């Protein structure tokens, strides 16, 4: 067993930042090109749409990774701002999401194409079972902030979602979120 020393991180519950900040990933709309149903307009490519701050740990079995994600509000042609979404590389690894601020939808799907959508509100604890790809979507008017914890050996498989997308999309219809089927999925 790889022993490490205990440590503590402070979490800004409203904005999602960590102190000390150890690893910060920023994703722009340019990084998300091809993931929204509509093309991202050229003038929005540099816009940061979400930030992930990670609390690092050794990546071997038995450790836990955790992170906060902050997704800015907005849409791309009516489709709400969202994360890329992924399966875990070790596909049976589960995850817990705790929402700290804002309002969202947690969109999930199995490899067989079964979709699931769960609410994200301050205080919700979403259980993402192994085998389910997951993407979070900000449907509110302010930032969506959540904390995630998962096995450190889980890894990420982004390619399946980049290639196939999710079976459902979350779009704004008459000012409210609506889940619609993804016309490009499974085609
Ligand atoms: O562990 C998770 O599932 C989250 O921390 C996500 O990695 C984070 O929300 C960003 O999403 P993605 O990794 O799909 O870009
Ligand atoms: Mn995950």
């Amino acid at each position: 067993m790889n022993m490490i020393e205990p440590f503590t991180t402070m979490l800004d519950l409203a904005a999602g930042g960590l102190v000390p900040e150890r690893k910060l990933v920023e994703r722009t709309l340019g990084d998300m090109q091809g993931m929204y149903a509509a093309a991202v307009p050229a003038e929005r490519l540099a816009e940061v749409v979400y930030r992930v701050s990670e609390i690092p740990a050794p990546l071997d079995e038995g450790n836990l990774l955790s992170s906060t994600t902050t997704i800015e509000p907005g849409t791309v042609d009516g489709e709400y701002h969202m994360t890329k979404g992924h399966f875990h590389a070790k596909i049976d690894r589960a995850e817990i999401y705790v929402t700290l601020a804002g309002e969202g939808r947690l969109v999930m799907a199995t490899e067989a194409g079964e979709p699931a959508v769960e609410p994200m509100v301050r205080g919700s604890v979403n259980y993402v079972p192994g085998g389910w790809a997951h993407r979070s979507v900000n449907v509110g008017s302010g930032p969506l902030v959540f904390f995630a914890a998962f096995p450190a050996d889980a890894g990420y498989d982004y390619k399946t979602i980049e290639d196939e997308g999710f079976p459902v999309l979350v779009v704004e219809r008459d000012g409210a979120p609506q889940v619609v089927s993804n016309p490009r999925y499974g085609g």
Side-chain angles (χ1 to χ4, degrees):
M1 180 180 169
N2 178 11
M3 295 286 289
I4 61 171
E5 293 296 314
F7 63 98
T8 298
T9 304
M10 292 306 295
L11 161 53
D12 178 337
L13 294 170
L18 299 177
V19 180
E21 188 71 81
R22 295 187 177 91
K23 183 181 162 200
L24 177 69
V25 175
E26 291 190 331
R27 295 243 194 262
T28 65
L29 283 178
D31 296 326
M32 302 288 291
Q33 193 65 274
M35 307 205 90
Y36 290 95
V40 175
E43 67 274 15
R44 294 192 63 194
L45 290 175
E47 194 177 313
V48 174
V49 68
Y50 65 97
R51 294 177 176 79
V52 183
S53 302
E54 189 179 283
I55 300 175
L59 300 183
D60 45 357
E61 188 176 1
N63 281 298
L64 294 171
L65 282 179
S66 56
S67 61
T68 58
T69 302
T70 303
I71 309 177
E72 298 301 329
T75 74
V76 172
D77 197 28
E79 187 175 2
Y80 289 101
H81 285 176
M82 61 193 187
T83 58
K84 285 184 154 192
H86 56 268
F87 285 95
H88 291 148
K90 286 195 174 155
I91 197 164
D92 65 347
R93 297 307 196 248
E95 184 154 4
I96 295 278
Y97 277 15
V98 181
T99 299
L100 307 175
E103 188 193 352
R105 298 287 184 273
L106 178 51
V107 174
M108 292 166 280
T110 63
E111 286 185 296
E114 180 187 348
V117 181
E118 293 290 325
M120 298 176 77
V121 295
R122 180 176 157 77
S124 63
V125 181
N126 304 115
Y127 192 89
V128 181
W132 289 81
H134 39 288
R135 160 182 286 167
S136 39
V137 182
N138 184 353
V139 302
S141 54
L144 174 66
V145 185
F146 62 92
F147 179 79
F150 57 104
D153 66 346
Y156 299 90
D157 162 19
Y158 286 104
K159 189 166 182 342
T160 307
I161 296 301
E162 280 168 5
D163 291 347
E164 298 172 16
F166 278 83
V168 296
L169 310 176
V170 186
V171 298
E172 184 178 38
R173 291 281 156 80
D174 301 321
Q178 196 173 330
V179 177
V180 299
S181 67
N182 178 0
R184 291 194 301 178
Y185 184 81

